[in-house]
Amino acid sequence: FGVAFQNTNPKPILDYSLKTNLRTLNDNFDAEEIDWATEFNTTFPIIEDRVTAMIAAEAYLTQRSDNYFDNPVRKRNLFRVEPSFNVDFNRFNAKIGFKAVNEFDQITEVNITKGFPTATLTYKTPSLYYFFAGYDGDIIRNTLGSMLDENPWLEPQVNLQNTTKDQEIFIGSRGDLMTGLNYNLKASYGQFTGLYFFNLQDGFDRDGTFLNKFFIEYERNKTDFVNVSAEFNYQPVEFWRTNLTADYWYYETIDFNKPYHKPSFEGRLGNTFLVSDKIVSNIDFYFIGNTYARDPFRSEDVKLPAITDLNAEFTYLFSEQFSAFVKLNNIIGKNYQRYFNYPQQGLNFLIGLNVSL
């Protein structure tokens, strides 16, 4: 359940937005998580068209209950506030701020506050190409909901810890190459503390049932990483637009031989077609590069082949509030494993309704 408020005045003295969202989930193993997230952003000018002050604040109140620990309910909260200033001198723009993050976790008995300076410098060419460079850091939340979104085959009572992005140095560029075609390129280097990986259990439970669920392991040392991302958006005509994204990741692990179940490359080519005023279709092609897993029985690393997948969705709009859709997944029927020992379904479909009040 989510609610959002924002200013609609096109030229406000004080601009703001407020979003709040509540998510709950539970399973058949006595696990439950209630996650309440609130984000507030405001901007106000100090020197008109030159200097702007900004404040971004976030509060995440999370309660987790699980027989993983004795106390039936434990809190895992995170608070983040980032005041910053944006200085605009036409061709040159600078955004400088400081991010303060408090992490409170009753399960791991953590209560710390960390500070991360942030800065982004941007240069705009006469032909409206933007080149930027910057520095960032943060604490990345890892919740039961976010982990299950990424990997639904987790063991009960899974261990949860947040990941710290100690630093990230990045450069990039964005702009319009031609009418209807724009791009965004970014390359970054940095360090994580507490980066997580998924690995399979190796054993049986007390009633003799084979355990084939994933548990989460965390790197104890700092992990250097390199990330290169690219995005291109193209809309040559009104009824068709296409989007191409690509991400390359490299992790310098210390505690682990490989970055288990973290692909080095991910790409997506998405297309949206407005067939008519009532029918919208989406056709997406995905490619995920080779990944590595740890075979718990042979105690050796296993290389999972690259993944190609083609999906399509067709939506019929009965009105602004009501629509029906059909999704076709894995159209080419590839037999692949995103997670070790969990083969993907072949061609499958989903039919549903969308209702907006």
Side-chain angles (χ1 to χ4, degrees), residues 202-231:
D202 56 348
F204 299 83
D205 64 12
R206 283 176 290 183
D207 63 4
T209 303
F210 170 55
L211 296 175
N212 195 32
K213 296 286 187 178
F214 287 92
F215 64 99
I216 304 175
E217 292 187 293
Y218 298 86
E219 181 97 32
R220 294 185 300 270
N221 296 283
K222 293 184 183 296
T223 304
D224 292 346
F225 73 88
V226 174
N227 175 231
V228 180
S229 62
E231 181 176 4

Side-chain angles (χ1 to χ4, degrees), residues 43-64:
T43 63
F44 49 94
I46 296 178
I47 302 177
E48 187 175 0
D49 299 328
R50 282 287 182 264
V51 181
T52 303
M54 295 171 287
I55 297 177
E58 302 171 16
Y60 300 95
L61 305 178
T62 307
Q63 287 190 353
R64 182 186 176 194

Side-chain angles (χ1 to χ4, degrees), residues 87-105:
V87 182
D88 190 354
F89 294 105
N90 296 325
R91 297 283 180 85
F92 180 79
N93 180 279
K95 181 183 177 182
I96 301 174
F98 186 84
K99 191 181 301 180
V101 187
N102 173 260
E103 175 187 8
F104 176 77
D105 191 334

Side-chain angles (χ1 to χ4, degrees), residues 289-305:
N290 296 323
T291 57
Y292 289 90
R294 186 72 177 173
D295 188 327
F297 296 100
R298 293 186 295 175
S299 297
E300 62 183 24
D301 295 338
V302 178
K303 186 177 182 180
L304 303 180

Side-chain angles (χ1 to χ4, degrees), residues 228-247:
V228 180
S229 62
E231 181 176 4
F232 296 89
N233 296 285
Y234 183 51
Q235 186 169 0
V237 290
E238 184 176 352
F239 63 85
W240 172 51
R241 66 175 180 268
T242 183
N243 170 264
L244 173 64
T245 60
D247 256 297

